Amino acid sequence: MAGHCGVMAARPWARLGMGCHSHWLQGCRLSLGLPGARLAHTGAVGRLQREYDAVVIGAGHNGLVAAAYLQRAGVRTAVLEKRHVLGGAAVTEEIVPGFKFSRASYLLSLLRPQIYTELELQRHGLRVLPRDPYSFTPLLEDRSPPRSLLLGHNMAQTQQQIAQFSQKDAQAYPEYEAFMGGLVSALDPLLDAPPVDTAALGKGSLLQRLSALRALQPLLRAGTIPMDTGLCRSHTASAPSGLALGKQLPHYYEVLTAPISKILDQWFESEPLKATLATDAVIGAMASPHTPGSGYVLLHHVMGELEGQRGAWGYVAGGMGALSQAIAHAAAAQGAHIFAEKAVCHLLLGRDGRAQGVALQDGTEVRSKLVLSNASPQITFLELMPQEQLPKSFVQRIQQVDTRSPVTKINVAVDRLPSFLAAPNTHNGQPLPHHQCSIHLNCEGTHLLHQAFTEATHGHPSSRPMIELCIPSALDPGLAPPGCHVVSLFTQYTPSVLAGGQPWDEQARNAYADTVFDCIEAYAPGFKASVIGRDILTPPDLERIFGLPGGNIFHGGMSLDQLYFARPAPSYSGYRSPVPGLYLCGSGAHPGGGVMGAAGRNAAQVALEDFRRL
Ligand SMILES: Cc1cc2nc3c(=O)[nH]c(=O)nc-3n(C[C@H](O)[C@H](O)[C@H](O)COP(=O)(O)OP(=O)(O)OC[C@H]3O[C@@H](n4cnc5c(N)ncnc54)[C@H](O)[C@@H]3O)c2cc1C
């Protein structure tokens, strides 16, 4: 471990930069200098009322979004979060004194643009720091200096970078981007509405069936969006540019269902480029680039936008927790009551089986007409309510959800900026353009990602893991003391259950982190000596701290069998549950994981419809 770098003296109860307007949030404090200090957002004690129109279990960003929309519509809403900090997996925490980490999620892109504007998040303190360039893949090579691949929004410069490896790939790249962009536009309408309720299409009055038919609109709109540009060259002969995407459904279908390696091989020949693009197809998934369906995961990661730039990812100023704070402020400004350190113990059910509120761990009961759960489907249905109240087949489906996760997140405090052999730092030590990027290590070829995956399938953490290294403080210096930086390491593959049932104990966690650090050292000598502190979050840690089942960052895998109609279970994909009055509003529901807010917004709309009928 390296020496200290001028970490600020302890400053107990310093105020959060963005201020706390509502009295429920008046407890917002930034505590520094305490061992294991955290950004704490404790709700004011004694304000919790015994009755609301709606209670939201969990203050993940989706729960907060749901609360903001409900309260905006005049539904008196309370949010009850079990942790001391709001945001779920979208939090800023001060793990090492003076260093503010986006402890779990760290990059923003997927947040639905409507939420940004409708909740006026900018007015409530959200500031996004876009990145350009955005991707840097340094290579380990026997030449000096080794090559690297830098991708950004300037297409000409990006093509020049790709041309170092293949002229052919450089030419194909703009077409590939347009092709993927077309598919993403086609899927867009599906994100902001509940999945089609197939059961409702065949039951109820004519009016009810017609209303269920209306829900088909987004599905019909998907796939019929006109495309501006051409398709993959192997496809262009039969499909000149400008045709409706609907006519290209076979290609669309192939991307959704094929292994991403097959799709990328159709477009490109250079391994560093293919491996870099493939990382988006396996991120968060216990899958290799050769796994069928990995193409969808890639689409999921390029379907966002930032400041109008499709597919762009950026940092949130102040860390991801600042986004959750902005949503919480928007909800509180409407009048929602938001409380931290209020763990829900179980659901209250009426004799008729309807949800009637929740009981907290301290015994308090809070009554409500609606209960929305931001907790995972597993916590909601398998822990917070008696199983007898649910159809057996439903319980079985929830038990079967694939929650395997390969992710270990390591947050590192360093006393200097990493200097990469492929792009050494200048003497003044100031961040260079590549420092703001997602820095992909062990990404020289897709075979490396596949090897790393294969080891994990045998219960062993990868010996050469896939590493996405980010340095948010390169763009947001306030996250760390002067000259120091916060480094986020999103790594895979680490199985949640180790071979032979061995525990993920201190030794195993440190051994894996040391492997990761050795890899980084090879690309950026001096990294290990710069480390001041580290926070290792293996799959069991992610489950224990954040309530993510199996450590799965999406509340359940994003494989094709667990999406849309089938998320979290077939016939229950529309946010309603077998318990009347209980709704799922988190990532375990459509359209799934990521800091998107869509599940929260859609669920609030469905719950509101029902509330108006009560
Ligand atoms: C390591 C990691 C990195 C990631 N990186 C990114 C990224 O860079 N960009 C991105 O877009 N996405 C990323 N993701 C995914 C994304 O963060 C999640 O999909 C998303 O934040 C989930 O939001 P949510 O609101 O649906 O649920 P959660 O954030 O899981 O919130 C659920 C909340 O419910 C609370 N809760 C559970 N049980 C109870 C109870 N009994 N009583 C009260 N409260 C309860 C939990 O404490 C939690 O606060 C990452 C996730 C992880 C773990």
Side-chain angles (χ1 to χ4, degrees):
M1 299 267 178
H4 227 243
C5 64
V7 174
M8 288 176 292
R11 204 158 48 95
W13 307 120
R15 272 217 163 263
L16 256 183
M18 61 196 68
C20 305
H21 307 300
S22 98
H23 55 276
W24 336 109
L25 294 173
Q26 265 169 13
C28 297
R29 296 287 190 272
L30 163 57
S31 62
L32 298 179
L34 307 169
R38 305 276 194 273
L39 290 180
H41 315 278
T42 311
V45 183
R47 299 270 182 189
L48 180 63
Q49 294 170 13
R50 291 304 167 95
E51 201 173 329
Y52 290 89
D53 293 330
V55 160
V56 180
I57 305 172
H61 82 285
N62 270 315
L64 293 167
V65 165
Y69 278 97
L70 287 170
Q71 188 72 44
R72 236 166 65 118
V75 179
R76 291 178 313 114
T77 303
V79 184
L80 305 169
E81 165 58 42
K82 77 171 184 191
R83 291 196 72 209
H84 61 287
V85 56
L86 304 181
V91 281
T92 305
E93 293 191 50
E94 194 175 338
I95 307 300
V96 178
F99 292 80
K100 289 165 218 139
F101 295 98
S102 292
R103 197 175 183 196
S105 60
Y106 51 102
L107 281 169
L108 188 69
S109 171
L110 302 175
L111 184 72
R112 302 306 293 154
Q114 303 88 319
I115 295 176
Y116 189 81
T117 46
E118 287 164 1
L119 298 186
E120 300 181 276
L121 294 185
Q122 202 173 2
R123 186 167 74 79
H124 290 289
L126 177 62
R127 199 160 61 85
V128 180
L129 307 169
R131 309 179 308 166
D132 191 15
Y134 54 81
S135 171
F136 178 62
T137 307
L139 305 188
L140 282 183
E141 292 185 311
D142 278 341
R143 54 204 271 173
S144 184
R147 287 173 301 171
S148 61
L149 175 65
L150 189 70
L151 306 178
H153 296 302
N154 181 315
M155 185 52 83
Q157 283 172 9
T158 291
Q159 284 181 286
Q160 262 177 20
Q161 284 282 319
I162 297 173
Q164 295 176 85
F165 303 95
S166 160
Q167 285 288 352
K168 184 170 157 273
D169 289 2
Q171 272 175 8
Y173 192 71
E175 275 184 49
Y176 167 82
E177 285 253 291
F179 175 63
M180 285 297 178
L183 296 190
V184 164
S185 302
L187 288 180
D188 211 55
L190 297 182
L191 302 177
D192 303 312
V196 174
D197 181 356
T198 43
L201 290 174
K203 67 178 186 211
S205 65
L206 185 62
L207 202 66
Q208 281 167 327
R209 288 188 213 191
L210 284 174
S211 138
L213 266 180
R214 265 207 310 274
L216 280 173
Q217 274 177 2
L219 195 59
L220 295 174
R221 280 212 313 276
T224 54
I225 307 281
M227 277 181 72
D228 298 333
T229 41
L231 296 161
C232 172
R233 261 175 286 146
S234 60
H235 307 146
T236 43
S238 59
S241 64
L243 280 185
L245 184 60
K247 294 192 181 160
Q248 307 309 326
L249 279 176
H251 306 303
Y252 181 0
Y253 176 80
E254 190 183 26
V255 174
L256 292 182
T257 55
I260 195 63
S261 54
K262 179 181 172 194
I263 304 295
L264 291 172
D265 284 346
Q266 290 169 2
W267 285 91
F268 305 118
E269 60 187 12
S270 130
E271 277 302 320
L273 177 63
K274 285 192 282 185
T276 301
L277 297 175
T279 58
D280 270 340
V282 295
I283 213 143
M286 190 52 105
S288 139
H290 302 321
T291 306
S294 44
Y296 178 79
V297 182
L298 180 127
L299 277 188
H300 190 80
H301 284 101
V302 296
M303 62 178 47
E305 65 173 67
L306 215 53
E307 307 205 323
Q309 180 87 47
R310 178 65 92 180
W313 290 76
Y315 298 117
V316 174
M320 268 300 203
L323 168 69
S324 301
Q325 284 292 305
I327 304 170
H329 283 155
Q334 297 285 343
H337 295 187
I338 303 170
F339 299 90
E341 295 181 320
K342 296 276 179 224
V344 170
C345 177
H346 62 87
L347 218 69
L348 298 174
L349 297 175
R351 285 218 183 109
D352 55 357
R354 252 197 96 77
Q356 290 193 333
V358 297
L360 303 184
Q361 239 159 35
D362 63 11
T364 313
E365 292 193 350
V366 185
R367 302 266 156 191
S368 63
K369 297 188 181 80
L370 306 175
V371 177
L372 285 82
S373 179
N374 182 201
S376 68
Q378 293 77 359
I379 292 179
T380 307
F381 301 112
L382 305 180
E383 292 180 22
L384 296 184
M385 60 184 303
Q387 306 299 282
E388 318 74 83
Q389 300 288 335
L390 295 166
K392 262 196 187 132
S393 59
F394 178 78
V395 172
Q396 199 181 24
R397 288 287 193 169
I398 299 297
Q399 284 167 338
Q400 283 175 343
V401 172
D402 182 358
T403 56
R404 283 172 309 150
S405 174
V407 176
T408 287
K409 173 95 190 282
I410 309 176
N411 297 301
V412 193
V414 293
D415 68 2
R416 72 199 87 131
L417 208 50
S419 181
F420 293 88
L421 289 173
N425 290 357
T426 52
H427 289 303
N428 65 14
Q430 288 305 303
L432 296 168
H434 66 272
H435 284 119
Q436 63 185 271
C437 295
S438 286
I439 300 174
H440 299 284
L441 305 180
N442 292 337
C443 211
E444 280 80 358
T446 37
H447 67 286
L448 289 177
L449 307 185
H450 183 67
Q451 267 167 25
F453 162 75
T454 308
E455 284 174 300
T457 58
H458 295 113
H460 304 294
S462 310
S463 53
R464 205 174 157 190
M466 175 181 120
I467 301 170
E468 184 185 320
L469 183 157
C470 287
I471 314 169
S473 47
L475 279 186
D476 190 4
L479 296 175
C484 298
H485 286 275
V486 289
V487 175
S488 154
L489 302 174
F490 188 94
T491 77
Q492 46 193 80
Y493 298 78
T494 48
S496 35
V497 180
L498 293 174
Q502 286 201 327
W504 266 111
D505 55 17
E506 271 312 288
Q507 200 187 345
R509 295 160 79 249
N510 281 319
Y512 177 70
D514 289 344
T515 301
V516 171
F517 282 20
D518 286 343
C519 291
I520 300 172
E521 186 74 16
Y523 291 90
F527 173 78
K528 288 206 296 192
S530 72
V531 174
I532 294 170
R534 65 188 190 184
D535 168 42
I536 307 163
L537 300 169
T538 63
D541 298 315
L542 292 170
E543 176 154 26
R544 180 177 46 82
I545 299 169
F546 297 101
L548 299 167
N552 190 291
I553 71 167
F554 302 133
H555 287 194
M558 300 282 291
S559 48
L560 289 178
D561 60 321
Q562 299 193 161
L563 290 173
Y564 201 64
F565 295 122
R567 195 169 186 89
S571 300
Y572 291 100
S573 57
Y575 308 102
R576 294 183 181 94
S577 75
V579 177
L582 173 65
Y583 306 80
L584 208 56
C585 69
S587 302
H590 170 74
V595 182
M596 226 178 187
R601 181 172 178 269
N602 296 347
Q605 276 163 6
V606 169
L608 254 178
E609 264 175 43
D610 293 354
F611 184 74
R612 290 189 178 125
R613 283 201 221 107
L614 285 176

